[in-house]
Short mmCIF file of all heavy atoms in Angstrom, two decimals:
data_model
loop_
_atom_site.label_atom_id
_atom_site.label_comp_id
_atom_site.label_asym_id
_atom_site.label_seq_id
_atom_site.Cartn_x
_atom_site.Cartn_y
_atom_site.Cartn_z
N ASP H 13 -97.10 11.18 98.06
CA ASP H 13 -95.88 11.40 98.89
C ASP H 13 -95.44 12.86 98.78
O ASP H 13 -94.92 13.42 99.76
CB ASP H 13 -94.79 10.45 98.42
CG ASP H 13 -95.04 8.96 98.79
OD1 ASP H 13 -96.08 8.76 99.51
OD2 ASP H 13 -94.32 8.09 98.32
N ALA H 14 -95.57 13.42 97.58
CA ALA H 14 -95.19 14.80 97.45
C ALA H 14 -96.01 15.74 98.33
O ALA H 14 -95.51 16.71 98.93
CB ALA H 14 -95.24 15.21 95.95
N PHE H 15 -97.33 15.52 98.37
CA PHE H 15 -98.19 16.33 99.26
C PHE H 15 -97.79 16.09 100.74
O PHE H 15 -97.78 17.08 101.49
CB PHE H 15 -99.63 15.92 99.00
CG PHE H 15 -100.25 16.70 97.88
CD1 PHE H 15 -100.34 16.09 96.64
CD2 PHE H 15 -100.81 17.93 98.04
CE1 PHE H 15 -100.91 16.80 95.56
CE2 PHE H 15 -101.39 18.61 97.01
CZ PHE H 15 -101.42 18.09 95.74
N ALA H 16 -97.41 14.85 101.10
CA ALA H 16 -97.04 14.59 102.50
C ALA H 16 -95.75 15.27 102.83
O ALA H 16 -95.57 15.70 103.98
CB ALA H 16 -96.88 13.12 102.67
N CYS H 17 -94.80 15.41 101.86
CA CYS H 17 -93.49 15.92 102.23
C CYS H 17 -93.35 17.41 101.96
O CYS H 17 -92.56 18.07 102.65
CB CYS H 17 -92.43 15.18 101.40
SG CYS H 17 -92.27 13.43 101.78
N TYR H 18 -94.05 17.96 100.99
CA TYR H 18 -93.80 19.36 100.57
C TYR H 18 -94.94 20.31 100.68
O TYR H 18 -94.79 21.52 100.63
CB TYR H 18 -93.29 19.33 99.10
CG TYR H 18 -91.97 18.68 98.92
CD1 TYR H 18 -91.89 17.41 98.38
CD2 TYR H 18 -90.79 19.30 99.35
CE1 TYR H 18 -90.66 16.75 98.18
CE2 TYR H 18 -89.59 18.68 99.15
CZ TYR H 18 -89.46 17.41 98.58
OH TYR H 18 -88.27 16.81 98.45
N ALA H 19 -96.22 19.82 100.70
CA ALA H 19 -97.34 20.74 100.65
C ALA H 19 -97.59 21.47 102.00
O ALA H 19 -97.32 20.91 103.07
CB ALA H 19 -98.61 19.92 100.26
N SER H 20 -98.14 22.59 101.88
CA SER H 20 -98.62 23.32 103.07
C SER H 20 -99.95 23.98 102.73
O SER H 20 -100.07 24.77 101.75
CB SER H 20 -97.60 24.42 103.45
OG SER H 20 -98.02 25.13 104.56
N PRO H 21 -101.05 23.66 103.46
CA PRO H 21 -101.13 22.77 104.58
C PRO H 21 -100.84 21.27 104.20
O PRO H 21 -101.01 20.93 103.02
CB PRO H 21 -102.52 22.95 105.09
CG PRO H 21 -103.32 23.33 103.89
CD PRO H 21 -102.41 24.12 103.10
N ARG H 22 -100.49 20.51 105.19
CA ARG H 22 -100.15 19.10 104.97
C ARG H 22 -101.43 18.27 105.02
O ARG H 22 -101.64 17.50 105.94
CB ARG H 22 -99.13 18.68 106.06
CG ARG H 22 -98.34 17.47 105.62
CD ARG H 22 -97.25 17.11 106.67
NE ARG H 22 -96.35 16.04 106.24
CZ ARG H 22 -95.38 15.59 106.97
NH1 ARG H 22 -95.19 16.03 108.17
NH2 ARG H 22 -94.63 14.62 106.50
N ILE H 23 -102.18 18.40 103.97
CA ILE H 23 -103.42 17.62 103.81
C ILE H 23 -103.41 17.07 102.41
O ILE H 23 -102.63 17.48 101.52
CB ILE H 23 -104.66 18.45 104.05
CG1 ILE H 23 -104.76 19.67 103.10
CG2 ILE H 23 -104.73 18.94 105.51
CD1 ILE H 23 -106.03 20.47 103.26
N MET H 24 -104.25 16.09 102.15
CA MET H 24 -104.35 15.35 100.88
C MET H 24 -105.12 16.18 99.86
O MET H 24 -106.13 16.82 100.21
CB MET H 24 -104.86 13.99 101.02
CG MET H 24 -104.00 13.09 101.83
SD MET H 24 -104.77 11.46 102.08
CE MET H 24 -103.52 10.57 103.00
N HIS H 25 -104.72 16.05 98.58
CA HIS H 25 -105.48 16.67 97.48
C HIS H 25 -106.67 15.85 97.09
O HIS H 25 -107.69 16.36 96.58
CB HIS H 25 -104.58 16.91 96.27
CG HIS H 25 -104.09 15.61 95.65
ND1 HIS H 25 -103.34 14.67 96.27
CD2 HIS H 25 -104.31 15.18 94.37
CE1 HIS H 25 -103.09 13.71 95.49
NE2 HIS H 25 -103.64 13.95 94.30
N GLN H 26 -106.64 14.55 97.31
CA GLN H 26 -107.74 13.60 97.07
C GLN H 26 -107.48 12.38 97.88
O GLN H 26 -106.35 12.22 98.45
CB GLN H 26 -107.78 13.24 95.55
CG GLN H 26 -106.55 12.48 95.07
CD GLN H 26 -106.67 12.14 93.56
OE1 GLN H 26 -107.23 12.92 92.80
NE2 GLN H 26 -106.02 11.07 93.17
N PRO H 27 -108.45 11.49 98.04
CA PRO H 27 -108.21 10.29 98.87
C PRO H 27 -107.09 9.47 98.34
O PRO H 27 -106.86 9.30 97.16
CB PRO H 27 -109.53 9.55 98.77
CG PRO H 27 -110.53 10.60 98.39
CD PRO H 27 -109.83 11.57 97.58
N LEU H 28 -106.36 8.86 99.29
CA LEU H 28 -105.30 7.91 98.92
C LEU H 28 -105.88 6.50 99.00
O LEU H 28 -106.46 6.12 100.04
CB LEU H 28 -104.16 8.10 99.97
CG LEU H 28 -102.84 7.29 99.76
CD1 LEU H 28 -101.69 8.01 100.52
CD2 LEU H 28 -102.94 5.86 100.23
N VAL H 29 -105.71 5.77 97.92
CA VAL H 29 -106.15 4.37 97.91
C VAL H 29 -104.96 3.53 98.34
O VAL H 29 -103.92 3.50 97.62
CB VAL H 29 -106.62 3.92 96.49
CG1 VAL H 29 -107.03 2.48 96.50
CG2 VAL H 29 -107.80 4.83 96.07
N ASN H 30 -105.11 2.81 99.51
CA ASN H 30 -104.00 2.20 100.14
C ASN H 30 -103.84 0.74 99.86
O ASN H 30 -102.77 0.22 99.72
CB ASN H 30 -104.09 2.40 101.65
CG ASN H 30 -102.99 1.71 102.40
OD1 ASN H 30 -101.81 1.97 102.15
ND2 ASN H 30 -103.38 0.80 103.33
N ASN H 31 -104.95 0.03 99.77
CA ASN H 31 -104.90 -1.45 99.66
C ASN H 31 -105.14 -1.93 98.21
O ASN H 31 -106.26 -1.90 97.73
CB ASN H 31 -105.91 -2.05 100.59
CG ASN H 31 -105.69 -3.55 100.85
OD1 ASN H 31 -105.04 -4.21 100.09
ND2 ASN H 31 -106.15 -4.01 101.98
N CYS H 32 -104.04 -2.37 97.63
CA CYS H 32 -104.18 -2.84 96.20
C CYS H 32 -104.85 -4.19 96.14
O CYS H 32 -105.22 -4.64 95.08
CB CYS H 32 -102.75 -2.94 95.59
SG CYS H 32 -101.68 -4.12 96.41
N ASN H 33 -105.13 -4.82 97.28
CA ASN H 33 -105.82 -6.11 97.25
C ASN H 33 -107.37 -5.95 97.25
O ASN H 33 -108.05 -6.90 97.06
CB ASN H 33 -105.44 -6.94 98.53
CG ASN H 33 -103.98 -7.33 98.52
OD1 ASN H 33 -103.44 -7.68 97.46
ND2 ASN H 33 -103.37 -7.34 99.65
N PHE H 34 -107.81 -4.67 97.42
CA PHE H 34 -109.22 -4.47 97.36
C PHE H 34 -109.79 -4.80 95.95
O PHE H 34 -109.18 -4.41 94.93
CB PHE H 34 -109.58 -3.02 97.71
CG PHE H 34 -111.01 -2.61 97.41
CD1 PHE H 34 -112.04 -3.09 98.25
CD2 PHE H 34 -111.28 -1.83 96.35
CE1 PHE H 34 -113.29 -2.76 98.01
CE2 PHE H 34 -112.61 -1.48 96.08
CZ PHE H 34 -113.61 -1.97 96.92
N ASN H 35 -110.83 -5.48 95.88
CA ASN H 35 -111.43 -5.91 94.61
C ASN H 35 -112.85 -5.43 94.50
O ASN H 35 -113.76 -5.80 95.24
CB ASN H 35 -111.42 -7.46 94.50
CG ASN H 35 -111.76 -7.91 93.09
OD1 ASN H 35 -112.66 -7.40 92.47
ND2 ASN H 35 -111.00 -8.84 92.62
N LEU H 36 -113.03 -4.44 93.56
CA LEU H 36 -114.39 -3.89 93.40
C LEU H 36 -115.40 -4.91 92.96
O LEU H 36 -116.53 -4.88 93.47
CB LEU H 36 -114.30 -2.78 92.34
CG LEU H 36 -115.66 -2.11 91.91
CD1 LEU H 36 -116.37 -1.53 93.06
CD2 LEU H 36 -115.39 -1.10 90.84
N LEU H 37 -114.95 -5.86 92.13
CA LEU H 37 -115.90 -6.89 91.70
C LEU H 37 -116.42 -7.74 92.88
O LEU H 37 -117.57 -8.13 92.89
CB LEU H 37 -115.26 -7.79 90.63
CG LEU H 37 -114.94 -7.15 89.29
CD1 LEU H 37 -114.28 -8.14 88.36
CD2 LEU H 37 -116.20 -6.57 88.64
N ASP H 38 -115.53 -7.99 93.82
CA ASP H 38 -115.97 -8.70 95.04
C ASP H 38 -117.03 -7.92 95.80
O ASP H 38 -117.99 -8.45 96.30
CB ASP H 38 -114.79 -8.99 95.95
CG ASP H 38 -113.88 -10.06 95.39
OD1 ASP H 38 -114.29 -10.81 94.51
OD2 ASP H 38 -112.73 -10.12 95.78
N SER H 39 -116.83 -6.60 95.93
CA SER H 39 -117.76 -5.77 96.62
C SER H 39 -119.13 -5.69 95.87
O SER H 39 -120.17 -5.79 96.52
CB SER H 39 -117.23 -4.32 96.69
OG SER H 39 -116.10 -4.29 97.56
N LEU H 40 -119.08 -5.63 94.55
CA LEU H 40 -120.33 -5.65 93.79
C LEU H 40 -121.04 -7.01 93.91
O LEU H 40 -122.28 -7.04 93.99
CB LEU H 40 -120.04 -5.31 92.33
CG LEU H 40 -119.57 -3.90 91.98
CD1 LEU H 40 -119.26 -3.74 90.51
CD2 LEU H 40 -120.63 -2.87 92.46
N ARG H 41 -120.27 -8.05 93.89
CA ARG H 41 -120.86 -9.39 94.09
C ARG H 41 -121.54 -9.45 95.46
O ARG H 41 -122.66 -10.02 95.55
CB ARG H 41 -119.75 -10.43 93.89
CG ARG H 41 -120.29 -11.86 93.84
CD ARG H 41 -119.16 -12.84 93.68
NE ARG H 41 -118.44 -12.63 92.49
CZ ARG H 41 -117.17 -12.19 92.45
NH1 ARG H 41 -116.45 -11.93 93.54
NH2 ARG H 41 -116.61 -12.02 91.27
N ASP H 42 -120.92 -8.97 96.48
CA ASP H 42 -121.46 -9.00 97.83
C ASP H 42 -122.73 -8.11 97.91
O ASP H 42 -123.55 -8.29 98.70
CB ASP H 42 -120.43 -8.56 98.83
CG ASP H 42 -119.32 -9.54 98.99
OD1 ASP H 42 -119.46 -10.69 98.56
OD2 ASP H 42 -118.26 -9.16 99.49
N ALA H 43 -122.79 -7.05 97.05
CA ALA H 43 -123.87 -6.11 97.10
C ALA H 43 -125.16 -6.70 96.49
O ALA H 43 -126.24 -6.23 96.80
CB ALA H 43 -123.50 -4.78 96.41
N PHE H 44 -125.02 -7.62 95.58
CA PHE H 44 -126.22 -8.19 94.95
C PHE H 44 -127.16 -8.87 95.91
O PHE H 44 -126.72 -9.67 96.72
CB PHE H 44 -125.76 -9.19 93.83
CG PHE H 44 -126.97 -9.91 93.20
CD1 PHE H 44 -127.87 -9.15 92.46
CD2 PHE H 44 -127.21 -11.22 93.45
CE1 PHE H 44 -128.98 -9.80 91.87
CE2 PHE H 44 -128.29 -11.85 92.88
CZ PHE H 44 -129.15 -11.18 92.08
N ASN H 45 -128.39 -8.48 95.84
CA ASN H 45 -129.44 -9.06 96.68
C ASN H 45 -129.18 -8.84 98.18
O ASN H 45 -129.58 -9.61 99.02
CB ASN H 45 -129.64 -10.57 96.40
CG ASN H 45 -131.07 -11.03 96.76
OD1 ASN H 45 -131.96 -10.18 96.80
ND2 ASN H 45 -131.24 -12.28 96.94
N ASN H 46 -128.48 -7.73 98.42
CA ASN H 46 -128.14 -7.33 99.83
C ASN H 46 -129.14 -6.28 100.29
O ASN H 46 -129.11 -5.12 99.84
CB ASN H 46 -126.72 -6.80 99.98
CG ASN H 46 -126.33 -6.52 101.39
OD1 ASN H 46 -127.12 -6.18 102.22
ND2 ASN H 46 -125.02 -6.65 101.67
N GLU H 47 -130.10 -6.63 101.12
CA GLU H 47 -131.15 -5.74 101.54
C GLU H 47 -130.59 -4.53 102.34
O GLU H 47 -131.19 -3.45 102.28
CB GLU H 47 -132.13 -6.51 102.45
CG GLU H 47 -133.37 -5.70 102.80
CD GLU H 47 -134.42 -6.54 103.51
OE1 GLU H 47 -134.11 -7.73 103.76
OE2 GLU H 47 -135.48 -6.00 103.78
#
C-alpha cells in the first residue's frame, strides 16, 4: 500500500500476493503425474 500511495514511479517493488485462499499443497498435489 505504501508503494501504491507514495512511490514514484507508481510500480511494485515485488509481486503482490492477493489471494490468501491459494494453497501451494493443492497445486503440488495437482502437479503430480501431470504430463
Side-chain angles (χ1 to χ4, degrees):
D13 290 352
F15 276 94
C17 295
Y18 294 105
S20 180
R22 202 174 187 182
I23 60 178
M24 294 177 177
H25 67 300
Q26 66 182 29
L28 186 159
V29 178
N30 177 58
N31 196 336
C32 61
N33 293 323
F34 169 73
N35 191 316
L36 174 59
L37 292 179
D38 288 341
S39 293
L40 291 177
R41 189 179 299 111
D42 293 341
F44 174 68
N45 208 19
N46 186 329
E47 188 173 2

